[in-house]
Amino acid sequence: MRTKYIIVTGGVLSGLGKGIVAASIGRLLTPTYNVVPVKCDGYLNVDPGTMNPVEHGEVFVLDDGGEVDLDFGHYERFLNRDCKFEWNLTSGKIFKSLVEKERKGEFLGKTVQVIPHVTGEIRERWKSIAKKEKADILLIEIGGTVGDLENLWFLEAARELAAEVDRKDILFVHMGLLPVIDGQGQQKTKPMQQSLLFLRERGLIPRVLIGRSKERLTEKTKERIGFACNVPKENVFSDPNVTSVYEIPLILEEEGLRKVLADELDMKVPSKLGRWSELVHAVKDAKKSVSIAVCGKYTELADSYLSIQEALFHAGAHNDAKVHLRWVETSDIEKGKIPIKDALKGCDGVIVPGGFGSRGVEGKINVIQYLRENKIPFLGICYGMQLAVIEYARSVCGLGGANTTEVNASTSHPVIDILPEQRAIAYKGGTMRLGGHNVEVKKASKASGLYGALSIRERFRHRYEVNPQYVSHIESAQFRFSGKAPNQPIMQLCELSDHPFFVGTQFHPELTSRLERPSPLFLGLIAASLKCKEQKFKLWK
Ligand code: GLN
């Protein structure tokens, strides 16, 4: 089939959840069609790898090692496919490649300009991805809000593309906010209308509109938007507040988007959502519930740990449980603002997630000690695993002052040290040990039981590792490293045997968890936490 292009834009304001809507559209078309998502971001960073997660949300890591926008997490989870670094275009990436070409003399004699060179480069990349991936649908999300200066070249490239391809091969979908003024009750359509004016000025005519609002759009609202914006009211859809983002494809399906997409793009209607809908309902109707604390230092923006939240949801869906999350800021624990016992009161399990630098580290170590001693289920991810090793070295192995050289370069016991290949690297972009690697899992370990395999593949993003020189000193009958890199002494999993669930992973299991294929380690954590909760209840009775 000839590639069809769907271009998703957003108006009125940022943070509407355009990525979820784009991913939901992709979900409705998958698996009938080969949908390839592309995200265009206006910023000048080449990739988001160097940005603080509190500012931009989590950095998502792909199997190919690409550090990309967190929307790729939604795409992978909704489309159930692995994405590629090439599919994330940023202004930084586009400009870098153009400037490099210019310096090599590829434009000799010419003035290099936004039109046609920047827009041409963008178009070429879209087309080449479509060709390489044999995409039935290239689903292009343009980040930011229409009207921003920094995504104008992407909009112009989309206009040029529309002029080039058949009308039935391209569809613009625009989403905008429909606010309700307190006390008035009416869904206001004017902001949406005005953001459309901007698109028209750029020569872009959306044929599908999606209204972000508290409640579903009323028939009247749909009629009003349709009339004002030149689309039939059947082409106007709701994106209301929901308890889980996985409900959005279901709502769009129910309102008829599958058929509208098929009609607009002149193709056969894709098949219905099957198991997806069952799983989403399983959580809605779940009888059990469990409370999990995430103890980190980027807790002021929930998006910093987005994939962890999602992985917990997936594991809940498969355990007949709703998972309640509590954010615990470890810098507060470190400063003694709140005792650990109080911070974790009522929590049935705890995650210490990945992180960088020294802020909040001692707080995390104290939390881990508390979890180990009080037998509370614990999953330590990346930095969380490294700190679990430090805690054990200090408290149990007699290695007082043990630390990571990331925090203290002259520690007496560098139980966590920089990876040898990282020593010489000065450049900060894309230079960590990144992406998917195989992990060898030890027989008869908790990890092998959960994965049901001795060889697994998971994704990494780190510079430091367990110092191989300390491995034998730290390992004991209870504490062991249950996974490592094949043919390398890099420890990738650790666990305690005399504990209901105490597992550390150098990799990020949250990145590969999907609703239809939850992460075994998250499943294990939730199952153990549910069990601990039950036991607590029994004790109280
Ligand atoms: N800072 C640690 C390292 O670089 C852990 C990284 C992480 O948690 N992603 O190894």
Side-chain angles (χ1 to χ4, degrees), residues 13 30 100 116 213 222 276 286 347 364 372 395 412 419 504 508-509:
L13 43 87
T30 305
E100 276 164 7
S213 56
K222 288 189 175 183
W276 184 275
C347 288
K364 287 184 191 169
R372 184 174 57 76
S395 314
S412 45
L419 284 154
H508 290 266

Side-chain angles (χ1 to χ4, degrees), residues 463-483:
R463 277 200 182 88
Y464 295 80
E465 62 165 340
V466 176
N467 187 340
Q469 286 170 12
Y470 280 91
V471 168
S472 59
H473 192 134
I474 294 170
E475 273 194 313
S476 65
Q478 288 79 35
F479 187 98
R480 61 174 183 154
F481 291 103
S482 49

Side-chain angles (χ1 to χ4, degrees), residues 353-357 381-384 386 406 416 432 461-465 506 508:
F356 295 85
I381 299 177
C382 205
Y383 216 8
Q386 296 175 358
E406 178 171 358
I416 306 294
M432 284 187 251
R461 182 172 190 249
H462 64 130
R463 277 200 182 88
Y464 295 80
E465 62 165 340
Q506 185 57 74
H508 290 266

Side-chain angles (χ1 to χ4, degrees), residues 406-465:
E406 178 171 358
V407 171
N408 178 2
S410 52
T411 167
S412 45
H413 293 295
V415 294
I416 306 294
D417 200 5
I418 192 142
L419 284 154
E421 75 261 25
Q422 289 284 326
R423 268 181 214 285
I425 297 174
Y427 242 61
K428 283 281 185 274
T431 53
M432 284 187 251
R433 179 168 181 264
L434 283 167
H437 293 277
N438 293 339
V439 178
E440 235 172 54
V441 185
K442 272 203 189 136
K443 266 193 210 144
S445 60
K446 192 163 268 170
S448 70
L450 288 168
Y451 277 96
L454 296 180
S455 171
I456 58 172
R457 187 171 177 85
E458 290 284 3
R459 297 185 193 171
F460 293 78
R461 182 172 190 249
H462 64 130
R463 277 200 182 88
Y464 295 80
E465 62 165 340

Side-chain angles (χ1 to χ4, degrees), residues 194-254:
Q194 284 177 339
S195 72
L196 268 150
L197 278 184
F198 180 85
L199 277 180
R200 285 204 210 111
E201 219 172 82
R202 311 261 28 125
L204 305 177
I205 315 279
R207 302 207 302 275
V208 169
L209 299 175
I210 301 189
R212 177 76 185 89
S213 56
K214 240 184 185 160
E215 314 271 338
R216 285 205 194 194
L217 305 193
T218 61
E219 281 306 296
K220 216 161 163 202
T221 307
K222 288 189 175 183
E223 253 164 46
R224 228 175 312 127
I225 301 180
F227 181 69
C229 305
N230 287 330
V231 300
K233 81 171 195 320
E234 292 70 32
N235 284 25
V236 184
F237 295 89
S238 310
D239 176 20
N241 289 358
V242 278
T243 39
S244 100
V245 294
Y246 301 94
E247 291 170 39
I248 300 295
L250 300 179
I251 293 174
L252 294 173
E253 172 174 68
E254 199 191 304

